[in-house]
Amino acid sequence: MRTKRISLLLAPVTLLLLLAALISFSSFKSRQAAADIWASLGISKQAGTDNIRNSFLNGYLNYYGARNIKNIAVQDRQAIARDLLSYTREFISSAAFKTKYEETRQNAKPIAPEQRKLRTIEEIQKEEIEKTEKSIKDTEKSMKELGGDVAKSLQPVLEMLKQNLKDYKNPKNEMFAIIAEGEKYQQEDARKRYEEAMTQWKKDYPENVNLFIADKLRRMLEYTNGIDYSAALVEKYGKKRFANPTYEAKRTEWKQGFRAGKEVTETAREFVKKWLSELEK
């Protein structure tokens, strides 16, 4: 659970930027029908919509189904960005997304620990005595029925149980107080961890879906801020990498914004800023 939560926080949704990166390989005329967007990308509208939904809910964009991305000429990047971002906003603002968000929110809700009545020291002692007395009877019965070497092998066990019973009946035995204190601590600790998880859940999944969306948008702006679009690249280990090690250490979102290019990324950022300002009113 903790790993999942950290993943959601440290790898927030980059849908708007990744859509921009995706369309940087694409060609689209803004007057075309929406269906042509998905056709040009080699992906169905349903698959594209699913990608958008999952991006906002899970913090990543899975667009592996877009098989034609690299086969389409580069044209009209800003127009494509605006159209796809507008479609994204329309869907994210829909009742269908809100319903899915609430389902995801409830599934992520921590489960309250079972609260049992704590046993008293006397109750613990009584239960341990009863269990030990039963074990003694069962062992004696087995020894009688099996006899021979088996009975001999069980003799040390029987003696240990009888000694335990004697110890348990000792009124000065402190073991039961330790057990009682341990059970109390476990219950309190479970409750504390549950309350902490609930606090984090309310932060990660606010009841108002607009707060959830706004948080994703802020993260997109934060992680794509200050991109140096003129940064030099070098070939290393068969891949293009930044010549500047500081840039190479940047977050994935920053690098994706660089690859998408200034026209697309800055278009996406301006779109997000406007969307965010409206959500915050």
Side-chain angles (χ1 to χ4, degrees):
M1 178 69 74
R2 185 171 181 270
T3 301
K4 183 178 180 182
R5 176 173 66 78
I6 293 174
S7 176
L8 287 173
L9 291 174
L10 299 185
V13 68
T14 57
L15 170 66
L16 302 179
L17 176 58
L18 285 171
L19 277 174
L22 181 152
I23 61 177
S24 68
F25 292 105
S26 310
S27 173
F28 173 71
K29 295 180 180 179
S30 58
R31 64 178 180 273
Q32 286 182 277
D36 290 338
I37 303 175
W38 308 113
S40 68
L41 296 174
I43 186 172
S44 69
K45 179 180 179 180
Q46 183 60 55
T49 302
D50 289 343
N51 289 340
I52 292 172
R53 181 189 63 243
N54 292 334
S55 294
F56 268 82
L57 294 177
N58 302 323
Y60 66 91
L61 176 63
N62 175 7
Y63 56 85
Y64 298 116
R67 59 183 179 277
N68 292 338
I69 294 173
K70 294 184 178 180
N71 299 327
I72 303 174
V74 177
Q75 294 176 10
D76 300 328
R77 294 183 178 183
Q78 289 177 311
I80 301 168
R82 292 190 189 97
D83 283 312
L84 283 177
L85 293 169
S86 294
Y87 179 83
T88 297
R89 175 173 177 171
E90 179 182 352
F91 174 73
I92 295 301
S93 302
S94 69
F97 178 79
K98 291 176 182 177
T99 299
K100 189 63 179 178
Y101 168 71
E102 184 58 27
E103 178 185 324
T104 302
R105 178 173 175 268
Q106 292 302 324
N107 288 338
K109 187 175 183 179
I111 299 175
E114 182 180 356
Q115 294 294 301
R116 296 182 179 180
K117 180 179 177 297
L118 292 173
R119 297 186 297 170
T120 64
I121 295 175
E122 293 72 23
E123 289 172 336
I124 296 172
Q125 183 178 26
K126 182 175 180 294
E127 289 178 19
E128 290 301 320
I129 288 174
E130 289 175 349
K131 285 193 296 183
T132 304
E133 288 177 337
K134 183 179 184 304
S135 295
I136 290 173
K137 289 181 180 180
D138 291 343
T139 303
E140 289 176 335
K141 181 181 178 181
S142 297
M143 292 173 68
K144 183 177 180 180
E145 292 175 348
L146 299 172
D149 292 338
V150 175
K152 290 181 180 180
S153 67
L154 291 175
Q155 187 61 41
V157 176
L158 180 62
E159 293 175 0
M160 180 190 69
L161 290 171
K162 289 182 176 180
Q163 181 60 50
N164 287 346
L165 181 60
K166 182 179 179 181
D167 293 339
Y168 294 163
K169 289 182 176 181
N170 181 356
K172 295 182 179 181
N173 193 325
E174 298 179 353
M175 180 183 73
F176 306 112
I178 296 174
I179 294 175
E181 188 64 27
E183 291 181 353
K184 179 182 178 182
Y185 172 80
Q186 289 177 352
Q187 190 173 95
E188 290 175 348
D189 183 63
R191 188 68 191 179
K192 180 181 178 182
R193 285 187 282 109
Y194 167 71
E195 291 174 352
E196 290 174 347
M198 280 295 294
T199 298
Q200 189 62 52
W201 174 75
K202 290 176 181 178
K203 180 180 179 181
D204 293 343
Y205 295 96
E207 186 174 357
N208 185 339
V209 66
N210 285 341
L211 296 178
F212 177 84
I213 295 171
D215 179 65
K216 299 296 185 182
L217 300 182
R218 289 190 200 95
R219 291 175 187 276
M220 183 272 186
L221 292 173
E222 176 187 352
Y223 298 148
T224 59
N225 185 45
I227 296 175
D228 181 0
Y229 297 102
S230 63
L233 297 175
V234 295
E235 184 87 17
K236 190 174 183 181
Y237 306 122
K239 292 184 179 181
K240 290 288 187 180
R241 300 177 184 273
F242 288 101
N244 187 333
T246 300
Y247 291 165
E248 188 58 37
K250 291 283 189 180
R251 295 183 61 93
T252 299
E253 294 88 347
W254 194 93
K255 296 176 182 178
Q256 289 166 339
F258 171 85
R259 294 190 186 100
K262 182 176 181 178
E263 300 91 345
V264 172
T265 300
E266 294 306 319
T267 295
R269 284 178 56 81
E270 288 305 313
F271 185 96
V272 169
K273 288 177 182 178
K274 186 173 184 295
W275 185 359
L276 182 58
S277 68
E278 293 175 5
L279 287 174
E280 293 176 332
K281 287 182 179 178

